[in-house]
Amino acid sequence: MNFSHIERIQNISSMEEDVFDLAIIGGGITGAGIARDAASRGMKVALLEAKDFAIGTSSRSSKLIHGGIRYLENFEFHLVFEALAERSLLFEMAPHLVHPLRFVIPIYESSRVGFWKMAAGMWVYDLLAMLETPQMHEALSSEETKIRLPELGADQLRGSFEYSDAYMDDDRLVIETLRDAQRLGAKLTNYTKVTSVEKDGDYISSLNVEDSVGNKSFSVKAKQIIGSVGPWTDIFGETVVDSWKKKLRPTKGVHITFSRERLPVSRAVVMAVETRIIFVIPRNEMVIVGTTDTDFNNDPYDVSTEKQDVEYILKAVNEYFPNLKLIEEDIIGCYSGVRPLVNDGSESEGKTSREHSIFSEGPNLSFVAGGKYTTYRKISEDSVDFVLKKMSFEEKMSFAPSDTKKPLNPMVTQAEFTKVKLEKESLSKEYNFSLKVIDQLIERHGKEAINILNLMKEEYSLHNELEALWMGEAQFSIDKELCLSLEDFYWRRSPLFLSHKDHRLEYVDVISKVFGKNYQWSEEEKRLKVEQLKKQIKKETHWKKD
């Protein structure tokens, strides 16, 4: 099933004509999850995103699916238990996007949490997972730790603990969730901003929307409305609720990326820095390091990586890996985002709970805020349950129960994913592409990789295989992932910006050709779009030395 600019036009047409059971404002992971959950129950669903899907926190996370071992210190056992249960589900729901990974927590003489306290925490973590973990934790001596992580600083190292969690593609998990919502009948659009509302007393009769792609305005009518706008909750709340009281304690998180060659770790490392932790996460061709956690009170669109953020993370990495002598020039990418934490009065950013909150602001307006990425499916289910309580008995009885534990993509079940991975060599011979390219496509798309391979072979055979790869990926994102611009592709449909020092700009000409053909760009438009992309890259990396 396609999810392209053509479906977008059709969806807007439906939004103008129909009355929906539920309108969702915000196209991040929670909004996407709510759309999928509501559609799975047979509800008539509309979702409106002001910019691109996952443009905010949902593409700027640590890209982990995890229980959150540090939350045990805050005695948030329920949060950890729920997250670990959802982690197990996500392994089945999205095997091409959520991958098991071993994590190591080094223990030094000076560590704030000692060896025996950490040992107890490890047992609690595995037990809260009901022992359904990819692999149980291990206690390692200092010698065993050095064998597994030879680059780790050895001075005063007492040992370590190794345990299991997972890494994921956060932006593409949003897209896959939306694709399934679309399959289930939801109407979804990006670049459609809700600018104001029409009210009949306290009841919102319609949403006023601006389509920045089609340059038009339209209205959407829905029986119930839920705001799932993440760090924009207070900003949006103030525009639609007269007596809005601030709900969030937004915090900024920055990550930087290195090549695997420059930071050669075989498993993730959990570094204790002051009262918080920073992860070193190896994935595919890069290593992500982060995050910071500082209060942020400006518009989340204005968040950026600053030099002091980079210096803070770099200092921490060099303390744990002193022999690598990493410097700013080794950094290949960076990103910053804003966490929409609900203000619970905690003394510090790190102590603020990651629990979610769902609340009502009128007879047909609700909001959801906070929560962990890992528990997005459960947060979404809770949100729809909350909205249903505001509906009549007859309306509630017309809907089916939630049905969101099945795979996000029917072509990428755990069985199909395992099967297609066993076919790598035969696919390499059949399509005449290297095993590395085949492996990359399968890890990202599962069985749908074959659709991209067909594109590469039939449409882009005159190009070298890496050009063909990214041209195939670009066409797939246009047809199946409602990708409208080069920036959307480089940041939220592919790893191009983060995983290479030159951000793979050597492929921008061939990629822009694919976009230009689909969107009928003139040569001048294409040139301007490429310039715009380069300008955005410069903005994201403005802290770098000239």
Side-chain angles (χ1 to χ4, degrees), residues 263-278:
L263 184 46
V265 289
S266 57
R267 54 259 290 145
V269 179
V270 184
M271 306 187 300
V273 181
E274 298 165 354
T275 58
R276 61 167 293 100
I277 58 174
I278 292 178

Side-chain angles (χ1 to χ4, degrees), residues 331-350:
I331 298 168
I332 58 174
C334 63
Y335 60 99
S336 53
V338 181
R339 301 178 194 84
L341 304 181
V342 177
N343 194 344
D344 60 5
S346 294
E347 62 188 33
S348 69
E349 305 92 330

Side-chain angles (χ1 to χ4, degrees), residues 1-8 10-11 178-180 182-183 186 188 448 451 475-482 518:
M1 183 177 187
N2 278 5
F3 183 35
S4 71
H5 63 288
I6 295 168
E7 283 69 38
R8 182 182 182 277
Q10 294 167 351
N11 288 348
L178 288 167
R179 290 179 72 197
D180 200 38
Q182 171 92 353
R183 275 189 285 267
L188 319 163
E448 279 197 301
N451 296 341
Q475 188 62 57
F476 182 86
S477 76
I478 290 165
D479 291 339
K480 308 292 185 182
E481 300 177 338
L482 192 43
N518 281 270

Side-chain angles (χ1 to χ4, degrees), residues 199-296:
K199 287 187 176 182
D200 182 2
D202 289 334
Y203 186 87
I204 295 176
S205 54
S206 65
L207 303 170
N208 297 321
V209 184
E210 283 184 4
D211 172 13
S212 60
V213 174
N215 293 314
K216 60 182 273 189
S217 299
F218 62 96
S219 295
V220 176
K221 291 181 170 64
K223 297 171 188 175
Q224 288 292 326
I225 299 157
I226 188 162
S228 174
V229 290
W232 289 273
T233 297
D234 286 326
I235 294 171
F236 180 71
E238 286 171 354
T239 68
V240 294
V241 178
D242 295 334
S243 55
W244 180 266
K245 292 179 182 175
K246 287 192 179 292
K247 303 292 193 294
L248 298 187
R249 181 179 185 167
T251 68
K252 171 182 165 180
V254 171
H255 297 77
I256 58 179
T257 61
F258 297 90
S259 69
R260 293 290 290 267
E261 291 75 26
R262 198 64 190 88
L263 184 46
V265 289
S266 57
R267 54 259 290 145
V269 179
V270 184
M271 306 187 300
V273 181
E274 298 165 354
T275 58
R276 61 167 293 100
I277 58 174
I278 292 178
F279 291 102
V280 176
I281 309 155
R283 45 178 298 135
N284 306 321
E285 63 267 79
M286 65 176 162
V287 179
I288 295 174
V289 184
T291 176
T292 60
D293 196 1
T294 52
D295 285 322
F296 185 83

